[in-house]
Amino acid sequence: MAALGNLSNDQIVTAYRNAVRARTLDLKIINAQRQGIIGFHVPAEGQEMIQIAIGMLAEKDDLIFSYYRDLALYLQRGVPISLIFDQMLANGNDFQKGRQMPDHFSFKEFNFSTVQSPVGSHLPLSVGAAYSFRYNKKKGIVIVTFGDGATSTSDFHAALNLASVFNLSVLFVCENNGWAISVPTNRQTKADIYKKGAAYGIPGKRVDGNDLIASLAGLQEAFDYVRSGKGPYLVEAVTYRIGPHSTSDDPKKYRVDEITDGSENDPIKRLENLMLKMGVVDLNFIQSAKAQAKEEIDRTMEERMSIPAPDPSTIFDDVYEEPSWIQEEERRDIDGSD
Amino acid sequence: MAALGNLSNDQIVTAYRNAVRARTLDLKIINAQRQGIIGFHVPAEGQEMIQIAIGMLAEKDDLIFSYYRDLALYLQRGVPISLIFDQMLANGNDFQKGRQMPDHFSFKEFNFSTVQSPVGSHLPLSVGAAYSFRYNKKKGIVIVTFGDGATSTSDFHAALNLASVFNLSVLFVCENNGWAISVPTNRQTKADIYKKGAAYGIPGKRVDGNDLIASLAGLQEAFDYVRSGKGPYLVEAVTYRIGPHSTSDDPKKYRVDEITDGSENDPIKRLENLMLKMGVVDLNFIQSAKAQAKEEIDRTMEERMSIPAPDPSTIFDDVYEEPSWIQEEERRDIDGSD
Amino acid sequence: MRSLRGYRKRRGGILMAQINMVQSLNKSIDLLMANDERVVVMGEDVGKDGGVFRVTDNLLSKYGEERVIDTPLNELGIVGMATGMAMYGMKPIAEVQFQDYIFPAFDQIVNNAAKIRYRTGGRFNVPLIIRTPYGGGVKGGLYHSQSGESYFVHTAGLIVVTPSNPYDARGLLVAAYKKNDPVIFLEPKRLYRASRAEVPDELFEVEIGKASRLREGDDVSIITYGSMVPVVMSTVERNGVNAEVLDLRTLLPMDIEAIIGTAKKTGRVVIVHEAPKTLGVGAEISALLAEKAIDSLLAPVMRVTGYDTPFPYTHEDLYIPNEKRIMGAIHRVLAY
Amino acid sequence: MRSLRGYRKRRGGILMAQINMVQSLNKSIDLLMANDERVVVMGEDVGKDGGVFRVTDNLLSKYGEERVIDTPLNELGIVGMATGMAMYGMKPIAEVQFQDYIFPAFDQIVNNAAKIRYRTGGRFNVPLIIRTPYGGGVKGGLYHSQSGESYFVHTAGLIVVTPSNPYDARGLLVAAYKKNDPVIFLEPKRLYRASRAEVPDELFEVEIGKASRLREGDDVSIITYGSMVPVVMSTVERNGVNAEVLDLRTLLPMDIEAIIGTAKKTGRVVIVHEAPKTLGVGAEISALLAEKAIDSLLAPVMRVTGYDTPFPYTHEDLYIPNEKRIMGAIHRVLAY
Ligand SMILES: Cc1ncc(C[n+]2csc(CCOP(=O)(O)OP(=O)(O)O)c2C)c(N)n1
Ligand SMILES: Cc1ncc(C[n+]2csc(CCOP(=O)(O)OP(=O)(O)O)c2C)c(N)n1
Ligand SMILES: [Mg+2]
Ligand SMILES: [Mg+2]
C-alpha cells in the first residue's frame, strides 16, 4: 500500500468505482443519444482520473466551477446519477427546468456553480466568488476546471490577472486533453499551459492527469498553496480525450494519424493495473464494480425516463425574479388566451 | 561619440530636436485646450525618448500601429506638425474629416495605421496586418505600441497568442509609464510586463525607455529578432508620465505621494546632459532648438486655426463605401430638405 | 462630519440637498454602502481617483479597499468578476468608465449575467448594477459618446434604466439596488452637472418600469428619456406646444400603460432619443403603438434620433437631436 | 476532379446543382477562393474539421494552411485579426462557430470593423465577411440557438444579410464578397440541410438591400427572413391565405421600398422572426410602417416572434414561431 501514499483502500476503491461509474455513464449516454433519448453529450472518457483527484481533495466548503466535461468529478463529489439523468433528459425533475443542454449542470447543493457553453466564461465568475468568500469570511477555496482551448479565451486572461491582483484563493485546473474539438494544443498555443501563470505572477505545475497518484500529489501542493491564502495557482493536468469532442463530432475528420484505443493513457486501466499489482483488489472485484455500475446506471435511466417534461409555461419563469408584462403577455400567447 | 554607439551627430541632433518639438507641441496643445481651441489632449511628456527610438529603428516599409500618446513617434517619422494640428483642431483639412477626438490619427502616408480610443483594441488588428504582410510577401514588419494598462485587456491576450501561433512579425512595445490613469502598474498586474510573453512563447525584454541609447540598444535586438522572421517579440519600455493622463485628468487626486517634477526621469533632460557631456552640442544649441520648435509650432497652429471646419453634410459619408438610403434620408434631414 | 454646504432642512426633519446628478449618485452609493455591507463599488479608477466623473469620489477613504475596488483595465473581467460576486452574496455596483467600453464585457453581460437566473432554473441570481455614462455632447467623438441602450434593451434578463435628473438618479439607483436581477444603469453624462435639483438626503425609490409624465398636454405626445429630456422640455416650452411629455426612465421593461395611454390621448406621437434610429428604442415604442394603439394614431409616429452613423467629433451638435429637428417632427404630426 | 454527383446540365452550358445550403456555401467559398487570392477562411475548426457544420469542408486540402486558417479559441482574436487583414489587402471570411459565441468579439465588430472607414475619413476600409450560424431548432439550448441579428442591425457601418435557401446563400455571399464593408452573414442553421435547390455552379449575385417577394397576395403581407421563411410559406399555403410574402434577405439596410410597397398594397402586415420581440428586427419594420405608411394600415402591425426569454432547451418548439401562432396573427389582422 505504500506506493499509493496515504490513501486508504477505501479511498482507492471509491475513486475507482466512481471512475468506472462515470465511464459507464458516458457510454450509456452516448448510446441514449444515438437512440434519440438524450439530445447531446460531451463525454469525459479518458479524463476521469484528474476529475476524481479534484473531487478527493476538495472539501465540502470548497466551491467548484466545473465545465461541461466533468462527469467523474460530479460523481466523486456525491452527486446522484438520478440527478444527472434528470438534467440530461431535461425532465420535469431537472433543477434547471429543462432549460439547458445536457452536461450543463448547476449542482448547487454539492457546492458546484453553474455550467454554461461559452468556453472560459465561468473563469471570471469563479474569481468573483472567491472575492465574495474572502469578503464574507466564508471557509473554502474556489476551484475552476476548463480545457486547453479555454486558455486562449479572453476570460482566462481576465480571470487570472484579477485573481492574482486581488490575491484570491482560486485553484485553476486546466484539463489539457490535447484537443479543442479539432485543434490540437500545439496550435492553440506555443507555450506550456502551466507556464501561462507567469504572465500574472501565478505559480503553475503540470501533473499527469491520467494517473491518480500523480494527480493527487501534484494537486495537493496546489491545494495547500491556495488554501493557505497565498493566492491563485494554475495546474495543468495532462490528460487524453478518448472519444469524440461531443456526440456531434466526428474525430475521424481530423484525428486520423492518432487513432488508438487510448489504452496506454486510459486512466481507469492504469488504476486497475496499479490496484491489481498492489493487491488492493482482484479481478473479480473489477468485474463486479463494472457490473454494479452498469446495473445502477441502466436502472436509474429507466426510472428517470418516466418523468414527464417540465410544464411548458415555465419557459417564461426565471427571466427575472418577477416576470415583467412582456413575459406575462407572451405566456398568454402560448396559452392561446391572447 | 563612442558612448552614443553608432549614432551620428546628425541622428542625435535630429532625435533631440524631435523630442523637443514633441514636448513643445504637448505644452502648446495643453494651453490651447485650456483656451478652448483644442478639445482634448493626451500628452506624451516624459515618454518621448522610447517613441523617438522606435521611429529611428523603424524602416519606411514597417507599419506602425501607434496609440493615442505617441506624439514624438509621429514627428520622428516625419509627420508634419501642420497635419497634427489639422487633426487636433478637427478642421476641414483633417484627413479624417474631423470625426475623431484629438490624438486619434491615421497617418497612412507615413505608414501608420489608425488610432482608436478603446484601449488595446488595435493589437489584434496589428496581428492581422502582419499576416497580410507575410501573405502578400510585402517588406516590413509591424510595430505596435500601447500602455501598461493595455496589457490587461483581452485584446492583448488574443493578439499575443495569435502572433505567436502564426509566428508573425509583430514587435509589441509597451510604453510602461507607471499608470493607467490613476491605477499604478503594480495594481494592474503582479507580473513584470516583459515576462508576459512567457504565456505565449514570446521572448521579452525590458528597456529604460527614458534613455535614448538604452532604448535603441534594447529595441535593436527586438527589431532584429522580428525582422529575421523568428516571430513576435515583446518590449517593455519603462518610462514616466510627467503630466496628467489627459487634459481631463487631475493627477493630484491620486498621485500626491509622488509629485516631483520628474526631472531625474525626464528623457529630454537626460539626452541634453549626455549631449553636453559628450560635446555633441552646446547650451546655445539647446536654447535655439527650443526656440525654433516654439516658433514653428506657434506659427503652424496660427496657420491651421484659420482652416474652416469640415462640411456638415460629410458626417453622413464613409459609413459605407456608398451611403444606404438610411444615411441619405438622414442627410436630407440635416439639410432641412426633408 | 459630512459637510452641509448646499443642504437645507425641510419638512419632517429630512435634509434636502440642491445637488447635481453626480452628487446625487455619489451620495446614493454612499448611503447604500453605509446601509448594506454587501454593496461594493468596482471599476477602473473608481478608488483614489473617485471615478473619471467623480461619481465614486471619497468612497475609498470612507469604506476602504475591500469595498471600493480599483480594477485592472479589462471590462470583461470587471463584469465577470462582479457577476460572480453577485451570485455569491454580494451586491456589486460595477462601473464601466464609458458605455463605449462596455462591449468587451458584452459576452459576460448577455451570456452570463442576463441568463444565469434562467439557465439555472432560478437557483442562482445576479443582483448586479452596471453603471455607465453614455451619450454625447462632451466632445468625445466616436468612443466617448455612444448611446448603446438598444443592445441591452433587446436582451431579456436585463433591466435597463436611465435617469434624466438628480432626483430620479437617486431613486432609480436605490430601486436598482433592490432588484435581484442585473440592472444596466445608464447615466446621461451630458446631464451630470447640467443642473441641480432638490434631492431628499436619504434612500428613496423611483419605481422601475414606471415612466414619469413631465407635462400634460393634448396635441401631441413626446416620448423621450435620459439626456434628451431637458431638450424636449425646453423645446415644447419655448415654442408653446401643447405637448404631453413622457420621460420613460426605465427602458426595459418600458411602461406600456403610459405609452399607450398618452398615444390614445393625443393621437400624435413623437419619439426623441439620441441613439441611432435604426432599432433604437424608438423602434420598439413605435412598434408597440402600431400593435396596440393603431386606431388612435392620427399621424405618423415620428422618431427624432441620432443618426445611423458613428458619433462624429466636430459636428456632434448636428448629430444630437435639437430644437429645430424636434419642432420639425412636431409640426409634421400636428399638420397631418 | 470535382464530383458531378447531384449535378445536371442546363441552358448555356451552366451546370446546375441540386444542393443544400451547406453545400452551396461551401461551393461559394471554394469558387471565391479559386477566383481571388485575397480570400482566406479563418475560424475555429474550419480547417481539417471543415467547420462543425462542414461549410468549409475540403478547403484546407485544396488551398492550404495559409488560406484556411484554424485559429485558437478566441473570437475577439479571430475578428480582430481578420479586420487587420481586411484593412491591409485581404478579404477574409471569418467564421464564428455559433452566433451565440460572437459576443466576445462584439467590441471588435462594433468599435473597430464597423467604424474604421468612418473614423479614418474613408482612408481605411474593412472588406470582411463574418459568417455565423444562428437560430434554434437543433436542440441547442441557450447557447447554440440565439438569433442576435438586432445587435448588428442597430450598428451603422455593418451590413447584415441572411439567406433562406441555397440559392440566396450563394448569391448573398458573392454580393457580400463584392462589398468593401464588413458584412455579418447570418446562416440559419436549421435550414443548412433542410432542403435542396438548384444553384448555378458559378458565382452570381443576389443584390444586397433587395428583398425577395416569394409570393404575391392581396389580403395580408407577411415580412420575414431566414429560418422562418419555410414556416411562413407552408403556413400560408396550407391555410390558403391570400398572402404576400417578403423574404428580406438583407436586414441592414432593409429594402424600404419593398416593405412600404407591400404594406400599401395589402394594408395588413404580420412580421415573423425567431429573435425575441423587444427590439427585434420586427420593431424597426413596424416603426418604418408607422412613420411612412400609417394611412395605409388597416390593422395593427403584428409581430410573431421568439419570446423575450433566453432560448430554452426542452421546449424550443414552443419558442420558435409556428403555424398556429402565425395563423393567430393573420386571423387577427384579417378580422380587424
Ligand atoms: C466562446 C466559445 N467559442 C466556441 C465554442 C465552441 N466550442 C465548444 S467546445 C470547444 C472546444 C473547447 O476545447 P477545450 O477548452 O480544450 O475543452 P475540451 O472540449 O477539449 O474539454 C469549442 C470551440 C464555445 N462553446 N464557446
Ligand atoms: C476598453 C477601454 N476601457 C477604458 C478606457 C478608458 N481609458 C482610457 S486610457 C485608460 C488608461 C490606459 O492606460 P495605459 O494603457 O497604461 O496607457 P497610458 O494612458 O498610461 O499611456 C483608460 C482606462 C478605454 N479607453 N478603453
Ligand atoms: Mg481540450
Ligand atoms: Mg500607462
Side-chain angles (χ1 to χ4, degrees):
Chain A
M1 287 305 306
L4 303 189
N6 302 325
L7 295 179
S8 69
N9 274 10
D10 250 25
Q11 282 177 306
I12 298 168
V13 164
T14 305
Y16 177 74
R17 277 190 191 280
N18 282 330
V20 167
R21 289 165 81 221
R23 180 69 59 88
T24 313
L25 189 50
D26 258 338
L27 299 176
K28 179 79 179 176
I29 296 169
I30 291 172
N31 235 317
Q33 193 276 337
R34 289 208 188 103
Q35 293 167 43
I37 297 167
I38 283 175
F40 173 81
H41 184 48
V42 200
E45 274 181 277
Q47 299 178 216
E48 293 92 348
M49 226 39 90
I50 177 64
Q51 298 176 8
I52 298 270
I54 296 169
M56 289 173 76
L57 293 177
E59 290 177 7
K60 228 176 147 224
D61 290 323
D62 294 341
L63 170 63
I64 305 186
F65 283 75
S66 54
Y67 83 125
Y68 48 71
R69 199 191 293 286
D70 275 334
L71 263 193
L73 176 52
Y74 302 118
L75 297 188
Q76 179 65 27
R77 208 163 158 88
V79 177
I81 285 181
S82 54
L83 288 183
I84 290 178
F85 272 120
D86 288 344
Q87 198 282 329
M88 304 281 312
L89 293 159
N91 65 28
N93 204 56
D94 170 24
F95 288 147
Q96 301 179 148
K97 306 181 189 170
R99 302 233 178 89
Q100 287 227 73
M101 280 180 98
D103 294 311
H104 294 62
F105 308 101
S106 301
F107 292 129
K108 198 175 182 177
E109 291 70 12
F110 300 86
N111 227 350
F112 284 101
S113 190
T114 157
V115 177
Q116 76 295 332
S117 312
V119 168
S121 71
H122 56 317
L123 272 68
L125 306 184
S126 73
V127 175
Y131 198 99
S132 177
F133 271 38
R134 181 173 65 196
Y135 186 83
N136 291 302
K137 303 192 172 48
K138 272 205 215 170
K139 272 182 66 182
I141 64 167
V142 174
I143 301 143
V144 53
T145 64
F146 50 91
D148 43 299
T151 65
S152 292
T153 63
S154 302
D155 305 83
F156 174 85
H157 182 64
L160 269 77
N161 194 38
L162 287 166
S164 161
V165 162
F166 297 116
N167 200 47
L168 294 169
S169 300
V170 186
L171 173 53
F172 295 95
V173 183
C174 176
E175 300 185 26
N176 179 359
N177 62 8
W179 297 95
I181 309 186
S182 73
V183 179
T185 308
N186 66 3
R187 317 201 100 217
Q188 192 68 243
T189 176
K190 294 292 175 205
D192 291 330
I193 286 175
Y194 73 100
K195 290 184 185 159
K196 284 181 183 281
Y200 316 97
I202 297 180
K205 188 181 195 75
R206 176 178 275 167
V207 306
D208 179 351
N210 295 330
D211 186 283
L212 179 65
I213 309 304
S215 291
L216 284 171
L219 277 177
Q220 186 69 60
E221 200 180 311
F223 266 95
D224 289 348
Y225 182 94
V226 175
R227 217 180 276 295
S228 71
K230 286 191 190 135
Y233 197 103
L234 172 63
V235 170
E236 175 189 4
V238 179
T239 175
Y240 185 78
R241 197 189 83 198
I242 290 180
H245 169 73
S246 75
T247 50
S248 313
D249 177 44
D250 174 12
K252 278 192 224 87
K253 293 280 297 179
Y254 55 82
R255 216 176 162 176
V256 265
D257 326 329
E258 220 197 298
I259 284 189
T260 74
D261 66 353
S263 57
E264 73 286 4
N265 285 320
D266 186 333
I268 296 186
K269 294 225 176 91
R270 279 169 69 171
L271 184 58
E272 259 171 41
N273 293 340
L274 186 69
M275 291 195 307
L276 291 170
K277 208 170 117 195
M278 297 288 137
V280 178
V281 299
D282 60 14
L283 268 173
N284 266 348
F285 167 85
I286 283 173
Q287 272 167 13
S288 83
K290 288 181 177 169
Q292 276 172 36
K294 188 161 173 358
E295 185 280 326
E296 177 196 11
I297 285 162
D298 288 350
R299 175 173 38 79
T300 310
M301 184 168 118
E302 191 70 26
E303 180 189 303
R304 309 316 284 182
M305 276 176 66
S306 65
I307 300 171
D311 182 64
S313 161
T314 58
I315 69 167
F316 299 101
D317 298 335
D318 304 320
V319 181
Y320 301 99
E321 191 166 32
E322 286 173 26
S324 80
W325 66 266
I326 302 172
Q327 285 77 39
E328 290 303 2
E329 184 175 291
E330 291 177 348
R331 192 197 301 274
R332 289 193 300 274
D333 182 44
I334 248 187
D335 295 350
S337 57
D338 216 35
Chain B
M1 286 307 305
L4 302 189
N6 303 325
L7 296 178
S8 70
N9 273 11
D10 250 25
Q11 282 177 308
I12 297 169
V13 164
T14 305
Y16 177 74
R17 277 191 190 280
N18 283 329
V20 167
R21 288 166 81 223
R23 179 70 59 88
T24 313
L25 189 50
D26 258 338
L27 298 176
K28 179 80 179 176
I29 296 169
I30 291 172
N31 234 316
Q33 193 275 337
R34 288 209 189 101
Q35 294 167 41
I37 296 168
I38 283 176
F40 174 81
H41 184 48
V42 201
E45 274 180 277
Q47 299 178 215
E48 292 93 347
M49 226 39 90
I50 176 66
Q51 298 175 10
I52 298 271
I54 296 169
M56 288 173 75
L57 294 177
E59 292 177 6
K60 228 176 145 222
D61 291 323
D62 295 341
L63 170 64
I64 306 186
F65 284 75
S66 54
Y67 84 125
Y68 48 70
R69 199 190 293 286
D70 274 335
L71 263 192
L73 176 51
Y74 302 118
L75 298 189
Q76 179 66 28
R77 209 166 158 85
V79 178
I81 285 180
S82 54
L83 288 183
I84 290 178
F85 272 120
D86 288 344
Q87 198 282 329
M88 304 282 310
L89 293 159
N91 65 28
N93 203 56
D94 170 23
F95 288 147
Q96 301 180 146
K97 306 180 188 170
R99 301 233 180 90
Q100 287 227 74
M101 280 179 97
D103 295 310
H104 293 62
F105 307 101
S106 301
F107 292 128
K108 198 176 181 177
E109 290 70 11
F110 300 86
N111 227 349
F112 284 101
S113 191
T114 156
V115 176
Q116 77 295 331
S117 313
V119 168
S121 71
H122 57 316
L123 272 68
L125 306 185
S126 73
V127 174
Y131 198 98
S132 176
F133 271 38
R134 182 173 65 196
Y135 186 82
N136 291 303
K137 303 191 173 49
K138 271 204 215 171
K139 273 181 66 182
I141 65 168
V142 174
I143 300 143
V144 52
T145 63
F146 50 91
D148 43 299
T151 65
S152 291
T153 64
S154 302
D155 304 84
F156 174 85
H157 182 64
L160 269 78
N161 193 38
L162 287 166
S164 161
V165 162
F166 297 116
N167 200 48
L168 295 169
S169 300
V170 185
L171 173 53
F172 295 95
V173 183
C174 176
E175 301 185 26
N176 179 359
N177 62 8
W179 298 94
I181 308 185
S182 73
V183 179
T185 308
N186 67 2
R187 316 201 102 217
Q188 192 69 243
T189 176
K190 293 293 175 204
D192 290 329
I193 286 176
Y194 74 101
K195 290 185 184 157
K196 284 181 183 281
Y200 317 97
I202 296 180
K205 187 179 197 76
R206 175 178 276 167
V207 307
D208 179 351
N210 295 330
D211 186 284
L212 179 65
I213 310 304
S215 291
L216 285 171
L219 278 176
Q220 185 69 60
E221 200 181 312
F223 266 95
D224 290 348
Y225 182 94
V226 176
R227 216 179 278 294
S228 71
K230 287 193 188 132
Y233 197 103
L234 172 63
V235 170
E236 174 189 3
V238 179
T239 174
Y240 184 77
R241 196 189 85 199
I242 291 181
H245 169 73
S246 76
T247 50
S248 313
D249 178 43
D250 174 13
K252 278 193 223 84
K253 293 280 297 181
Y254 55 83
R255 218 176 160 176
V256 263
D257 327 328
E258 218 196 299
I259 284 192
T260 73
D261 67 352
S263 57
E264 72 287 5
N265 285 318
D266 186 333
I268 296 186
K269 293 226 174 91
R270 279 169 69 173
L271 184 58
E272 257 171 43
N273 292 340
L274 187 69
M275 290 194 306
L276 291 170
K277 210 169 114 194
M278 296 288 138
V280 178
V281 297
D282 60 14
L283 268 173
N284 267 348
F285 168 84
I286 284 174
Q287 272 168 11
S288 83
K290 287 182 177 168
Q292 276 172 34
K294 190 165 171 352
E295 186 280 326
E296 175 196 14
I297 285 162
D298 288 350
R299 175 175 37 80
T300 311
M301 184 168 118
E302 190 70 27
E303 178 190 306
R304 309 317 283 181
M305 275 176 65
S306 66
I307 300 171
D311 181 64
S313 163
T314 59
I315 70 168
F316 300 101
D317 297 337
D318 304 320
V319 181
Y320 302 99
E321 190 166 31
E322 286 172 27
S324 81
W325 66 266
I326 303 172
Q327 284 77 41
E328 290 304 1
E329 184 175 291
E330 292 178 347
R331 193 198 301 274
R332 289 194 298 275
D333 182 44
I334 248 188
D335 295 350
S337 58
D338 217 36
Chain C
M1 301 307 289
R2 137 186 110 211
S3 148
L4 289 182
R5 210 156 54 86
Y7 284 79
R8 58 189 180 77
K9 254 202 151 72
R10 239 184 42 173
R11 27 152 221 278
I14 291 171
L15 286 169
M16 298 291 281
Q18 279 280 353
I19 52 177
N20 66 28
M21 193 184 286
V22 166
Q23 292 167 317
S24 175
L25 288 166
N26 177 259
K27 188 58 187 267
S28 309
I29 300 172
D30 189 353
L31 289 169
L32 289 172
M33 291 184 81
N35 210 44
D36 185 345
E37 283 238 314
R38 295 171 306 166
V39 179
V40 298
V41 158
M42 58 199 293
E44 295 155 16
D45 308 294
V46 298
K48 273 200 187 165
D49 198 34
V52 296
F53 289 103
R54 302 285 175 263
V55 173
T56 55
D57 216 14
N58 292 321
L59 298 177
L60 175 64
S61 57
K62 201 157 168 187
Y63 297 103
E65 282 188 359
E66 286 287 299
R67 297 187 68 192
V68 180
I69 310 166
D70 266 329
T71 65
L73 206 169
N74 187 306
E75 289 76 13
L76 182 170
I78 295 168
V79 172
M81 177 171 160
T83 300
M85 290 158 79
M87 291 170 73
Y88 290 91
M90 298 177 74
K91 281 197 164 261
I93 303 181
E95 173 175 309
V96 171
Q97 203 162 85
F98 285 85
Q99 184 259 281
D100 314 65
Y101 306 139
I102 207 167
F103 301 126
F106 204 62
D107 183 58
Q108 283 293 341
I109 296 173
V110 165
N111 272 340
N112 269 341
K115 293 185 174 50
I116 280 174
R117 182 189 287 279
Y118 194 78
R119 80 178 190 221
T120 65
R123 288 152 67 76
F124 286 96
N125 64 305
V126 183
L128 163 66
I129 298 174
I130 303 176
R131 293 182 36 249
T132 190
Y134 79 111
V138 300
K139 279 282 180 190
L142 284 88
Y143 299 114
H144 299 81
S145 308
Q146 295 177 49
S147 293
E149 56 267 29
S150 280
Y151 297 117
F152 306 103
V153 173
H154 183 56
T155 307
L158 301 178
I159 293 166
V160 185
V161 302
T162 180
S164 68
N165 60 66
Y167 183 95
D168 287 353
R170 169 83 42 88
L172 286 171
L173 194 73
V174 175
Y177 154 81
K178 296 253 172 102
K179 286 284 174 192
N180 286 314
D181 289 303
V183 178
I184 307 291
F185 195 91
L186 297 168
E187 302 172 0
K189 69 172 89 73
R190 191 159 76 254
L191 302 188
Y192 266 155
R193 297 164 196 281
S195 67
R196 290 166 172 269
E198 285 206 336
V199 182
D201 201 23
E202 54 169 7
L203 294 172
F204 61 89
E205 280 183 65
V206 164
E207 192 182 338
I208 285 178
K210 285 275 165 282
S212 151
R213 193 166 58 182
L214 294 181
R215 206 172 177 287
E216 295 200 35
D218 305 300
D219 294 350
V220 56
S221 301
I222 307 191
I223 303 177
T224 188
Y225 55 87
S227 60
M228 294 315 300
V229 169
V231 181
V232 165
M233 290 300 282
S234 78
T235 297
V236 299
E237 268 150 28
R238 284 162 42 95
N239 292 274
V241 185
N242 184 359
E244 183 141 307
V245 176
L246 276 196
D247 174 358
L248 284 178
R249 301 197 292 204
T250 300
L251 305 182
L252 182 66
M254 278 192 270
D255 187 339
I256 181 73
E257 274 152 37
I259 291 170
I260 302 299
T262 191
K264 290 203 166 154
K265 177 176 173 193
T266 68
R268 292 179 162 85
V269 179
V270 173
I271 302 156
V272 183
H273 60 63
E274 194 177 313
K277 180 185 276 185
T278 299
L279 280 182
V281 165
E284 183 61 29
I285 298 170
S286 193
L288 289 170
L289 295 174
E291 186 185 323
K292 297 177 193 292
I294 189 101
D295 291 337
S296 310
L297 296 177
L298 306 170
V301 178
M302 298 297 293
R303 292 178 284 168
V304 183
T305 69
Y307 294 119
D308 286 278
T309 73
F311 198 100
Y313 175 75
T314 300
H315 291 301
E316 70 170 354
D317 51 319
L318 291 177
Y319 185 95
I320 300 172
N322 54 23
E323 180 167 332
K324 182 171 155 234
R325 287 173 58 202
I326 296 168
M327 282 311 297
I330 291 175
H331 284 314
R332 172 118 189 253
V333 300
L334 288 180
Y336 204 82
Chain D
M1 301 306 289
R2 136 185 109 207
S3 149
L4 289 182
R5 208 156 55 86
Y7 284 78
R8 57 188 181 78
K9 253 201 153 73
R10 237 182 43 171
R11 27 150 220 277
I14 290 171
L15 285 168
M16 298 290 283
Q18 278 279 354
I19 52 178
N20 66 29
M21 193 183 287
V22 166
Q23 293 166 318
S24 174
L25 288 166
N26 177 260
K27 188 59 189 271
S28 310
I29 299 172
D30 189 352
L31 290 169
L32 289 172
M33 291 184 81
N35 210 44
D36 185 345
E37 284 237 315
R38 295 171 305 166
V39 179
V40 298
V41 158
M42 57 199 294
E44 295 155 16
D45 306 294
V46 298
K48 274 200 185 167
D49 199 33
V52 296
F53 289 102
R54 302 285 174 263
V55 173
T56 55
D57 217 13
N58 293 320
L59 299 176
L60 175 63
S61 57
K62 202 158 167 185
Y63 297 103
E65 282 188 359
E66 286 287 301
R67 297 189 67 193
V68 181
I69 310 166
D70 266 328
T71 65
L73 206 170
N74 187 307
E75 289 77 12
L76 181 170
I78 295 168
V79 172
M81 178 172 160
T83 300
M85 291 159 77
M87 290 170 72
Y88 290 92
M90 299 178 73
K91 281 198 165 261
I93 303 181
E95 173 175 308
V96 171
Q97 204 162 85
F98 286 85
Q99 184 258 283
D100 314 66
Y101 306 138
I102 207 168
F103 302 126
F106 204 62
D107 183 58
Q108 284 293 342
I109 297 172
V110 165
N111 273 339
N112 269 341
K115 293 185 173 51
I116 281 175
R117 182 189 285 280
Y118 194 78
R119 80 176 190 223
T120 64
R123 290 152 66 76
F124 287 97
N125 63 305
V126 182
L128 162 67
I129 299 174
I130 302 176
R131 294 181 37 248
T132 189
Y134 79 110
V138 299
K139 279 281 181 191
L142 284 88
Y143 299 114
H144 298 82
S145 307
Q146 295 176 49
S147 293
E149 57 269 27
S150 279
Y151 298 118
F152 306 103
V153 174
H154 182 56
T155 306
L158 301 178
I159 292 166
V160 185
V161 303
T162 179
S164 68
N165 59 66
Y167 182 95
D168 287 352
R170 169 83 43 89
L172 287 171
L173 195 73
V174 175
Y177 154 82
K178 297 252 172 104
K179 286 284 174 190
N180 286 314
D181 288 304
V183 178
I184 307 291
F185 195 91
L186 297 168
E187 301 172 359
K189 69 173 88 72
R190 191 158 77 253
L191 302 188
Y192 265 155
R193 296 162 197 283
S195 68
R196 288 166 174 270
E198 286 204 335
V199 181
D201 201 23
E202 54 169 9
L203 294 172
F204 60 89
E205 279 183 67
V206 164
E207 191 182 338
I208 285 177
K210 284 277 164 283
S212 150
R213 193 166 56 182
L214 294 180
R215 207 174 175 286
E216 296 201 34
D218 304 300
D219 294 350
V220 57
S221 301
I222 308 191
I223 302 176
T224 188
Y225 56 87
S227 61
M228 295 315 300
V229 169
V231 181
V232 165
M233 289 301 281
S234 79
T235 296
V236 299
E237 268 149 28
R238 283 162 43 93
N239 293 274
V241 184
N242 184 359
E244 183 141 306
V245 176
L246 276 197
D247 174 359
L248 284 179
R249 301 195 293 202
T250 300
L251 305 182
L252 182 65
M254 279 192 269
D255 186 341
I256 181 73
E257 274 152 38
I259 291 169
I260 302 298
T262 190
K264 289 203 167 155
K265 177 175 172 194
T266 68
R268 292 179 164 84
V269 178
V270 173
I271 302 155
V272 183
H273 60 63
E274 196 178 310
K277 180 184 279 187
T278 299
L279 280 183
V281 166
E284 183 61 30
I285 298 171
S286 193
L288 289 171
L289 295 174
E291 186 185 322
K292 296 178 195 292
I294 189 99
D295 291 337
S296 310
L297 295 177
L298 304 172
V301 179
M302 298 296 293
R303 291 178 285 168
V304 183
T305 68
Y307 294 120
D308 287 278
T309 72
F311 198 100
Y313 175 74
T314 300
H315 291 301
E316 70 170 354
D317 51 318
L318 292 177
Y319 184 95
I320 301 172
N322 55 23
E323 180 167 332
K324 183 171 154 232
R325 285 172 60 202
I326 296 168
M327 281 311 297
I330 291 175
H331 284 313
R332 173 116 190 254
V333 299
L334 287 180
Y336 204 83

